[in-house]
Amino acid sequence: MAVLVALGAFLMTLAGGWTAQRVTDRRHLVLGLAGGLMLGVVGMDLLPEALAAAGTRVHGVPAALLLFVGGFLLAHMVERLLAARRAAHGAGEGDDRAPEVGLTAAAAMVGHSAMDGVAIGASFQVGSGMGTAVALAVVAHDFADGFNTFTLTRLYGNARRKAVAMLVADAVAPVAGAAASSFLTIPEPLLGGYLGLFGGVLLYLAAAEILPEAHHEHPARSTLLCTVAGVAFIWLVVGFTA
């Protein structure tokens, strides 16, 4: 049952990536929406789950929040190091976006989707009611995952075929995670720490890369509305599946 439900996540992920591909003539709107989706996922989904699972305090601060800040700083350092390396090898000014950052971010999305699949499988082991609730939450927000995976990969200058490959990997990941859930047991504190770290990375990409790029050439009201719509969509998904 868990694997069958994960197939729904597979289809929703592909639908999100397909949507991102079809609206390339409105790139600023796509980026604005992607930024809003990522902001909503971090603030309304990842951080609450991370705090619930890894709320142990380290010197007065929840461990999940420390890892959240660490993820933000890690993404910033990796991007700066790769950009500096490209500049040292003769990349032109304004061409400092390292494709490796996009691929790494997309790979993190794939890893997160695999963890979603594990969550589906584990919840069905608890009971069918719990499994159904978790499955609905995962399937609903996997549209945003597919949309963001494709958008992130392309934003950093990777070829379309690489973006499609990462999208397919992201779609397959929940199915693989659900299948593996019968053999895996992930400690809750470890899962919470991972969610905090991943949330920090996503927030950096949304705030420092995607949203500034969305408003760079088209500082339009419609772009801002797309960002707000992305946040509102995640809010609705979280509310309906809570």
Side-chain angles (χ1 to χ4, degrees), residues 8-28:
F10 171 86
L11 295 175
M12 285 296 286
T13 302
L14 290 181
W18 180 85
T19 302
Q21 292 182 64
R22 300 298 295 179
V23 289
T24 50
D25 58 330
R26 292 287 186 268
R27 184 171 179 268
H28 59 294

Side-chain angles (χ1 to χ4, degrees), residues 51 56 72 75 144 147 159 162 165 182 223 234:
L51 287 169
T56 304
F72 189 99
F147 191 99
K162 289 186 178 181
S182 57
T223 306
I234 298 299

